[in-house]
Coordinates of all heavy atoms in Angstrom, one line a residue:
K1329 N 14.1 -0.8 25.3 CA 15.3 0.1 25.1 C 15.4 0.3 23.5 O 16.3 1.0 23.0 CB 16.5 -0.5 25.5 CG 16.8 -0.5 27.1 CD 18.1 -1.2 27.4 CE 18.3 -1.2 29.0 NZ 19.5 -1.9 29.4
T1330 N 14.5 -0.3 22.8 CA 14.6 -0.3 21.3 C 13.6 0.7 20.8 O 12.4 0.6 21.1 CB 14.5 -1.6 20.8 OG1 15.5 -2.5 21.4 CG2 14.8 -1.7 19.2
F1331 N 14.0 1.4 19.8 CA 13.0 2.3 19.0 C 12.9 1.6 17.6 O 13.8 0.9 17.1 CB 13.3 3.7 18.9 CG 14.4 4.1 17.7 CD1 14.0 4.1 16.4 CD2 15.7 4.4 18.0 CE1 14.8 4.5 15.4 CE2 16.6 4.7 17.1 CZ 16.0 4.7 15.7
M1332 N 11.7 1.8 17.0 CA 11.6 1.1 15.6 C 11.1 2.2 14.7 O 10.7 3.3 15.1 CB 10.6 0.0 15.7 CG 9.3 0.3 16.4 SD 8.0 1.3 15.5 CE 6.7 1.6 16.5
F1333 N 11.2 1.9 13.4 CA 10.7 2.9 12.5 C 9.9 2.0 11.5 O 10.3 0.9 11.3 CB 11.8 3.9 11.9 CG 12.7 3.1 11.1 CD1 12.7 3.0 9.7 CD2 13.9 2.6 11.7 CE1 13.7 2.4 9.0 CE2 15.0 1.9 11.0 CZ 14.8 1.8 9.6
H1334 N 9.1 2.7 10.6 CA 8.4 2.1 9.5 C 9.1 2.3 8.2 O 9.5 3.5 7.9 CB 7.0 2.5 9.5 CG 6.2 2.2 10.9 ND1 5.8 0.9 11.1 CD2 5.8 3.1 11.7 CE1 5.2 1.0 12.4 NE2 5.2 2.3 12.8
L1335 N 9.1 1.3 7.4 CA 9.8 1.3 6.1 C 8.7 0.8 5.0 O 8.6 -0.4 4.8 CB 10.9 0.5 6.0 CG 11.8 0.4 4.7 CD1 12.3 1.7 4.5 CD2 12.8 -0.7 4.8
P1336 N 8.0 1.8 4.3 CA 7.1 1.4 3.2 C 8.0 0.9 2.0 O 9.1 1.7 1.7 CB 6.4 2.6 2.8 CG 6.6 3.6 4.0 CD 7.9 3.2 4.5
R1337 N 7.5 -0.1 1.3 CA 8.3 -0.5 0.1 C 7.4 -0.8 -0.9 O 6.4 -1.5 -0.9 CB 9.1 -1.8 0.5 CG 10.3 -1.7 1.5 CD 11.4 -2.7 1.5 NE 10.7 -4.1 1.6 CZ 10.8 -5.0 0.5 NH1 11.4 -4.8 -0.6 NH2 10.2 -6.3 0.8
I1338 N 7.9 -0.4 -2.2 CA 7.3 -0.7 -3.5 C 8.4 -1.2 -4.4 O 9.5 -1.1 -4.0 CB 6.5 0.4 -4.1 CG1 7.5 1.6 -4.5 CG2 5.3 1.0 -3.2 CD1 6.8 2.7 -5.3
C1339 N 8.0 -1.4 -5.5 CA 9.0 -1.9 -6.7 C 10.0 -0.5 -6.8 O 9.6 0.6 -6.8 CB 8.5 -2.2 -7.9 SG 9.6 -2.2 -9.3
E1340 N 11.2 -0.8 -6.9 CA 12.2 0.4 -7.1 C 12.3 0.9 -8.5 O 13.0 2.0 -8.5 CB 13.5 -0.1 -6.5 CG 13.7 -0.6 -5.1 CD 13.4 0.5 -4.1 OE1 13.9 1.6 -4.3 OE2 12.8 0.2 -3.1
H1341 N 11.6 0.3 -9.4 CA 11.8 0.8 -10.7 C 13.2 1.2 -11.1 O 13.4 2.3 -11.5 CB 10.8 1.9 -10.9 CG 9.4 1.3 -10.8 ND1 8.6 0.7 -11.8 CD2 8.5 1.5 -9.8 CE1 7.5 0.4 -11.4 NE2 7.4 0.7 -10.1
C1342 N 14.2 0.3 -11.0 CA 15.5 0.6 -10.9 C 16.1 1.0 -12.4 O 15.4 0.7 -13.4 CB 16.4 -0.7 -10.5 SG 15.9 -1.3 -8.9
L1343 N 17.1 1.7 -12.3 CA 17.8 2.1 -13.7 C 18.6 0.9 -14.3 O 18.7 0.8 -15.4 CB 18.8 3.2 -13.5 CG 18.3 4.6 -13.0 CD1 19.3 5.7 -12.9 CD2 17.3 5.0 -14.0
N1344 N 19.0 0.0 -13.3 CA 19.7 -1.2 -13.9 C 19.0 -2.5 -13.2 O 19.5 -3.3 -12.4 CB 21.1 -1.2 -13.4 CG 22.0 -2.2 -13.9 OD1 21.9 -2.6 -14.9 ND2 23.0 -2.7 -13.1
P1345 N 17.8 -2.7 -13.6 CA 17.0 -3.8 -13.0 C 17.5 -5.2 -13.2 O 17.5 -5.5 -14.3 CB 15.6 -3.5 -13.6 CG 15.8 -2.8 -14.9 CD 17.0 -2.0 -14.7
A1346 N 17.7 -5.9 -12.1 CA 18.1 -7.2 -12.2 C 17.0 -8.3 -12.6 O 17.1 -9.3 -13.3 CB 18.6 -7.7 -10.8
C1347 N 15.8 -7.8 -12.3 CA 14.5 -8.6 -12.8 C 14.5 -8.6 -14.3 O 14.2 -9.6 -15.0 CB 13.4 -8.0 -12.2 SG 13.0 -6.4 -12.6
V1348 N 14.7 -7.5 -14.9 CA 14.6 -7.4 -16.4 C 15.6 -8.2 -17.0 O 15.5 -9.0 -17.9 CB 14.6 -5.9 -17.0 CG1 14.8 -5.8 -18.4 CG2 13.5 -5.1 -16.4
A1349 N 16.9 -8.2 -16.5 CA 17.9 -8.9 -17.1 C 17.8 -10.5 -16.8 O 18.3 -11.3 -17.5 CB 19.3 -8.5 -16.5
S1350 N 17.0 -10.8 -15.8 CA 16.9 -12.3 -15.5 C 15.8 -12.9 -16.2 O 15.8 -14.2 -16.3 CB 16.4 -12.4 -13.9 OG 17.5 -11.7 -13.1
C1351 N 14.9 -12.2 -16.9 CA 13.7 -12.7 -17.5 C 14.2 -13.5 -18.8 O 14.6 -12.8 -19.7 CB 12.7 -11.6 -17.9 SG 11.2 -12.3 -18.8
P1352 N 14.0 -14.8 -19.0 CA 14.4 -15.4 -20.1 C 13.5 -15.1 -21.4 O 13.9 -15.3 -22.6 CB 14.2 -17.0 -19.8 CG 14.1 -17.0 -18.3 CD 13.4 -15.7 -18.0
S1353 N 12.1 -14.8 -21.1 CA 11.3 -14.5 -22.3 C 11.2 -13.1 -22.7 O 10.5 -12.8 -23.7 CB 9.9 -15.1 -21.8 OG 9.4 -14.3 -20.8
G1354 N 11.8 -12.2 -22.0 CA 11.8 -10.8 -22.3 C 10.5 -10.2 -22.0 O 10.2 -9.1 -22.5
A1355 N 9.7 -10.7 -21.2 CA 8.4 -10.2 -20.9 C 8.6 -9.0 -19.9 O 7.7 -8.2 -19.7 CB 7.5 -11.3 -20.1
M1356 N 9.6 -9.0 -19.1 CA 9.9 -7.8 -18.1 C 10.6 -6.7 -18.8 O 11.5 -7.1 -19.6 CB 10.7 -8.4 -17.0 CG 10.8 -7.4 -15.9 SD 9.5 -7.4 -14.6 CE 9.6 -9.0 -13.9
Y1357 N 10.1 -5.5 -18.7 CA 10.7 -4.6 -19.5 C 10.6 -3.2 -18.9 O 9.7 -3.0 -17.9 CB 10.1 -4.4 -21.0 CG 8.6 -3.9 -20.9 CD1 8.3 -2.6 -21.3 CD2 7.6 -4.9 -20.8 CE1 6.9 -2.2 -21.1 CE2 6.3 -4.5 -20.8 CZ 5.9 -3.2 -20.9 OH 4.6 -2.8 -20.9
K1358 N 11.5 -2.3 -19.2 CA 11.5 -0.9 -18.6 C 11.1 0.0 -19.6 O 11.7 0.1 -20.8 CB 13.0 -0.6 -18.1 CG 13.1 0.7 -17.4 CD 14.4 0.8 -16.8 CE 14.5 2.1 -16.2 NZ 13.8 2.2 -14.9
R1359 N 10.1 0.9 -19.5 CA 9.5 1.7 -20.4 C 10.4 2.7 -20.9 O 11.1 3.3 -20.0 CB 8.1 2.3 -20.1 CG 7.1 1.3 -19.7 CD 5.7 1.8 -20.0 NE 5.4 3.0 -19.2 CZ 4.2 3.5 -19.2 NH1 3.1 2.9 -19.8 NH2 3.8 4.7 -18.5
V1360 N 10.6 3.0 -22.2 CA 11.5 4.1 -22.6 C 11.1 5.4 -22.0 O 11.9 6.3 -21.7 CB 11.7 4.1 -24.1 CG1 12.5 5.2 -24.6 CG2 12.2 2.7 -24.5
E1361 N 9.8 5.7 -22.1 CA 9.4 7.1 -22.0 C 9.5 7.6 -20.5 O 9.7 8.7 -20.2 CB 7.9 7.4 -22.4 CG 6.9 6.4 -21.8 CD 6.8 5.1 -22.4 OE1 7.7 4.7 -23.2 OE2 5.8 4.4 -22.1
D1362 N 9.2 6.7 -19.5 CA 9.3 7.2 -18.1 C 10.0 6.2 -17.2 O 10.0 6.4 -16.1 CB 7.8 7.5 -17.6 CG 6.9 6.2 -17.8 OD1 7.4 5.1 -18.0 OD2 5.7 6.4 -17.7
G1363 N 10.5 5.2 -17.7 CA 11.4 4.2 -16.9 C 10.6 3.2 -15.9 O 11.3 2.5 -15.1
I1364 N 9.3 3.2 -16.0 CA 8.5 2.3 -15.2 C 8.8 0.9 -15.7 O 8.8 0.8 -16.9 CB 7.0 2.7 -15.3 CG1 6.7 4.0 -14.7 CG2 6.1 1.6 -14.5 CD1 5.3 4.6 -14.7
V1365 N 9.0 0.0 -14.7 CA 9.3 -1.5 -15.1 C 7.9 -2.2 -15.0 O 7.2 -2.2 -13.9 CB 10.2 -1.9 -14.1 CG1 10.4 -3.4 -14.4 CG2 11.7 -1.3 -14.2
L1366 N 7.5 -2.9 -16.1 CA 6.3 -3.6 -16.2 C 6.6 -5.0 -16.7 O 7.6 -5.3 -17.1 CB 5.3 -2.9 -17.2 CG 5.0 -1.4 -16.7 CD1 4.2 -0.8 -17.9 CD2 4.1 -1.5 -15.5
V1367 N 5.4 -5.8 -16.7 CA 5.5 -7.1 -17.1 C 4.5 -7.3 -18.2 O 3.4 -7.0 -18.0 CB 5.1 -8.2 -16.0 CG1 5.3 -9.6 -16.5 CG2 6.1 -8.0 -14.8
D1368 N 5.0 -7.8 -19.4 CA 4.0 -8.0 -20.5 C 3.4 -9.4 -20.2 O 4.0 -10.5 -20.2 CB 4.8 -8.1 -21.8 CG 3.9 -8.4 -23.0 OD1 2.7 -8.7 -22.8 OD2 4.5 -8.6 -24.2
Q1369 N 2.0 -9.3 -19.9 CA 1.4 -10.5 -19.4 C 1.2 -11.5 -20.5 O 1.2 -12.8 -20.3 CB 0.0 -10.2 -18.9 CG 0.0 -9.4 -17.6 CD 0.5 -10.3 -16.4 OE1 -0.1 -11.1 -16.0 NE2 1.6 -9.9 -15.9
D1370 N 1.3 -11.2 -21.8 CA 1.2 -12.0 -23.0 C 2.6 -12.7 -23.1 O 2.6 -13.9 -23.5 CB 0.8 -11.3 -24.2 CG -0.7 -11.1 -24.3 OD1 -1.5 -11.7 -23.5 OD2 -1.1 -10.3 -25.1
G1371 N 3.6 -12.1 -22.8 CA 4.9 -12.5 -23.1 C 5.5 -13.4 -21.9 O 6.2 -14.3 -22.1
C1372 N 4.9 -13.3 -20.7 CA 5.4 -14.0 -19.6 C 5.1 -15.5 -19.6 O 3.9 -15.8 -20.0 CB 4.7 -13.4 -18.2 SG 5.3 -14.3 -16.7
R1373 N 6.1 -16.3 -19.4 CA 6.0 -17.7 -19.5 C 6.1 -18.4 -18.0 O 6.1 -19.6 -17.9 CB 7.0 -18.4 -20.3 CG 6.9 -17.9 -21.7 CD 5.6 -18.6 -22.4 NE 5.4 -17.9 -23.7 CZ 4.4 -17.1 -24.0 NH1 3.8 -16.5 -23.1 NH2 4.3 -16.7 -25.2
G1374 N 6.1 -17.6 -17.0 CA 6.1 -18.2 -15.6 C 7.4 -18.8 -15.3 O 7.3 -19.7 -14.3
W1375 N 8.6 -18.5 -15.7 CA 9.8 -19.0 -15.4 C 10.2 -18.6 -14.0 O 10.9 -19.3 -13.2 CB 11.0 -18.7 -16.4 CG 10.6 -19.1 -17.7 CD1 10.7 -18.2 -18.8 CD2 10.4 -20.3 -18.4 NE1 10.5 -18.9 -20.0 CE2 10.3 -20.1 -19.8 CE3 10.2 -21.7 -17.8 CZ2 10.0 -21.1 -20.6 CZ3 9.9 -22.6 -18.7 CH2 10.0 -22.4 -20.1
R1376 N 9.8 -17.5 -13.5 CA 9.9 -16.9 -12.2 C 11.4 -16.5 -11.9 O 11.9 -16.4 -10.8 CB 9.4 -17.9 -11.2 CG 7.9 -17.9 -11.0 CD 7.4 -19.0 -10.0 NE 7.5 -20.3 -10.8 CZ 7.0 -21.4 -10.1 NH1 6.5 -21.4 -9.1 NH2 6.9 -22.6 -10.8
M1377 N 12.2 -16.6 -12.9 CA 13.6 -16.0 -12.7 C 13.6 -14.5 -12.3 O 14.6 -14.1 -11.5 CB 14.4 -16.1 -14.1 CG 14.7 -17.6 -14.4 SD 15.7 -18.3 -13.4 CE 15.8 -20.1 -14.1
C1378 N 12.6 -13.9 -12.7 CA 12.6 -12.5 -12.3 C 12.3 -12.2 -10.7 O 12.9 -11.3 -10.0 CB 11.4 -11.6 -13.0 SG 9.8 -12.6 -12.8
V1379 N 11.6 -13.4 -10.1 CA 11.5 -13.3 -8.7 C 12.7 -13.5 -8.0 O 13.1 -12.7 -7.0 CB 10.5 -14.4 -8.3 CG1 10.2 -14.3 -6.7 CG2 9.1 -14.0 -9.0
S1380 N 13.5 -14.5 -8.5 CA 14.9 -14.7 -7.9 C 15.8 -13.5 -8.1 O 16.5 -13.1 -7.3 CB 15.6 -16.0 -8.6 OG 14.6 -17.0 -8.3
G1381 N 15.7 -12.9 -9.4 CA 16.7 -11.8 -9.6 C 16.4 -10.5 -8.9 O 17.3 -9.8 -8.6
C1382 N 15.2 -10.2 -8.5 CA 14.9 -9.0 -7.7 C 15.4 -9.1 -6.4 O 14.9 -9.9 -5.6 CB 13.4 -8.8 -7.9 SG 13.0 -7.2 -6.8
P1383 N 16.4 -8.3 -6.0 CA 16.8 -8.3 -4.6 C 15.8 -7.9 -3.6 O 16.1 -8.3 -2.5 CB 18.1 -7.5 -4.6 CG 18.0 -6.6 -5.7 CD 17.0 -7.3 -6.7
Y1384 N 15.0 -7.1 -4.0 CA 13.9 -6.5 -3.1 C 12.7 -7.4 -2.9 O 11.9 -7.2 -2.1 CB 13.5 -5.1 -3.6 CG 14.7 -4.2 -3.8 CD1 15.2 -3.9 -5.1 CD2 15.2 -3.6 -2.7 CE1 16.2 -3.2 -5.4 CE2 16.3 -2.8 -2.9 CZ 16.8 -2.5 -4.2 OH 17.9 -1.7 -4.4
K1385 N 12.6 -8.5 -3.8 CA 11.6 -9.4 -3.8 C 10.3 -8.8 -4.0 O 9.2 -9.0 -3.3 CB 11.5 -10.3 -2.6 CG 12.7 -11.3 -2.5 CD 12.7 -12.2 -3.6 CE 14.0 -13.1 -3.7 NZ 15.0 -12.3 -4.4

Side-chain angles (χ1 to χ4, degrees):
K1329 296 182 179 179
T1330 306
F1331 82 79
M1332 50 80 185
F1333 66 95
H1334 299 290
L1335 180 68
R1337 291 201 308 120
I1338 64 171
C1339 169
E1340 299 291 320
H1341 297 279
C1342 308
L1343 294 183
N1344 186 37
C1347 59
V1348 174
S1350 300
C1351 180
S1353 62
M1356 188 85 66
Y1357 66 99
K1358 186 173 178 65
R1359 296 210 308 189
V1360 173
E1361 59 274 7
D1362 54 16
I1364 296 175
V1365 178
L1366 298 173
V1367 183
D1368 178 0
Q1369 294 291 293
D1370 280 344
C1372 180
R1373 296 294 175 258
W1375 302 122
R1376 286 173 279 183
M1377 292 294 180
C1378 52
V1379 180
S1380 299
C1382 175
Y1384 307 99
K1385 291 296 172 279

